[in-house]
Every structure is written in C-alpha cells, then in structure tokens.
C-alpha cells in the first residue's frame, strides 16, 4: 500500500472528460469504480487472470463508501490483479504419476484420449488447490486539479490501469511529462533542447543556436 507507506514510485497524469464534465464528481467516481470493480477468478473457467478496482485499505472490498474512498480533496483507491496458473512442472509430475498407476493397473499405457481427459481433470483439480498471486497498486485522484497518480513501477501495469480508468469513467488519461506540459503551454519543441549547463559544456552561444536548429 504505497500511499500509506510512503513509497515514491509513481506516474502522474491529468484527466479530461470524454464528454461533458460530471455535475457530481464523487457520485460519478464511485459509480465508475464499482462498474469496473475487481471480481475473483472463477476457478471453473479457463481464466488465469482477473483485474479491477478495490478499496485502498481492503483489497477484498469494492463497495467504495464515502468514508473509504474520499480523503479531503483526494479519492484514494487501488487496482488489484490476480493471476492463477498451474505450473507446468506440477501438471507433468501429476500426469506422470497417474500414467504409471494406470499402466500398472491395466497392463497398458493410456490411450491419447484417456490421457487428455485425465489432463483436463487434473488441471481443474490443481486450479482448485492453487493460491492466486495477488498484486495491488494504489491510485490517488485529486478531485480539484483532476490529477491522478498511479503508484506502480511497471510501464505495462501503469498502462493497464490508465486504460481501466478511461473505460470506467469515460475520461482521457494524459501523462504529465515535460513535453506534454510544454505543448499545453504553447512552448515550441525546439526550446526544450539541452542547455550547456545540463550537458556540462561551455558552448558558445552561436553553437547552441545552431544545434537547436539541427545545423552544424
């Protein structure tokens, strides 16, 4: 829970409504998070992964009551990812054990169809026993500035959460980077080139001007 523990790895974004801005931001946010709340993996299915929003201090809850979601001008919540996969080595060991027992009992090795059937049954049995691997990433949303911080180090995970936010709340999630900030301020890209101080060189003023234009 990085928000409460003080970790500093996060990505910053600003949000813009895809349509008109909601009149009741808290109600809109609660409804959106609930619509994309986390649901556990159905062990009877073939699904190996489940993801969705949960409460900040309880990864098993997705009620998003006012007291558990809003803290002053912030909305604090998390994104949970569960992965449930039977290791191939475990499956092979169990199938080999069954094959040996079948051969000893029947005086012949199992036919392909028999082996495939047993493989499916074993997979279902092992899925029931397996413990999902859970990852919980925090999200902070400033209700006044509409800035969002995603507390995750993986670029892939950050992108997944951004897409989930866009789907749940019908917003555009835009990264806050020097380039994007300059674009909003109307600053020319050429003005963002490295300075002499940054690259540690005392370059003549003329050389800097030429370099910024891609000449010389």
């Amino acid at each position: 829970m990085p928000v409460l523990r003080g970790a500093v790895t996060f990505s910053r974004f600003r949000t813009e409504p895809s349509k008109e801005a909601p009149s009741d931001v808290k109600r809109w946010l609660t409804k959106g998070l609930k619509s994309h709340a986390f649901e556990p993996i159905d062990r009877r299915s073939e699904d190996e992964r489940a993801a969705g929003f949960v409460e900040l201090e309880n990864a098993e809850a997705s009620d998003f009551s006012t007291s558990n979601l809003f803290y002053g001008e912030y909305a604090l919540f998390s994104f949970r990812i569960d992965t449930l996969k039977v290791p191939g080595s475990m499956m092979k060991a169990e199938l080999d054990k069954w094959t040996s027992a079948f051969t000893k009992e029947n005086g012949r090795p199992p036919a392909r169809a028999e082996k495939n059937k047993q493989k499916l049954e074993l997979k279902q049995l092992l899925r029931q026993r397996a413990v999902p691997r859970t990852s919980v990433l925090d999200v902070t949303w400033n209700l006044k500035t509409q800035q969002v911080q995603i507390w995750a180090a993986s670029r892939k995970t950050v992108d997944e959460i951004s897409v989930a936010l866009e789907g749940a709340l019908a917003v555009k999630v835009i990264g806050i980077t020097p380039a994007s900030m300059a674009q909003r301020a109307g600053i020319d890209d050429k003005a963002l080139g490295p300075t002499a101080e940054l690259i540690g060189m005392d370059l003549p003023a003329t050389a800097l001007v030429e370099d910024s234009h891609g000449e010389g």
Side-chain angles (χ1 to χ4, degrees), residues 176-183 192:
I176 298 179
T177 62
S180 66
M181 294 174 68
Q183 185 177 24
L192 299 178

Side-chain angles (χ1 to χ4, degrees), residues 14-68:
R14 60 184 176 85
T15 63
E16 295 179 355
S18 299
K19 302 176 182 178
E20 59 182 64
S23 57
D24 187 336
V25 174
K26 289 187 175 182
R27 183 173 180 275
W28 159 78
L29 190 56
T30 301
K31 183 179 179 181
L33 293 177
K34 283 185 176 181
S35 71
H36 283 64
F38 174 82
E39 293 184 3
I41 298 172
D42 183 353
R43 293 176 182 268
R44 297 168 299 178
S45 70
E46 293 293 319
D47 296 338
E48 295 184 343
R49 196 173 187 276
F53 296 107
V54 294
E55 294 181 2
L56 177 71
E57 297 190 69
N58 186 358
E60 301 294 332
S62 55
D63 294 330
F64 300 109
S65 63
T66 299
S67 60
N68 291 329

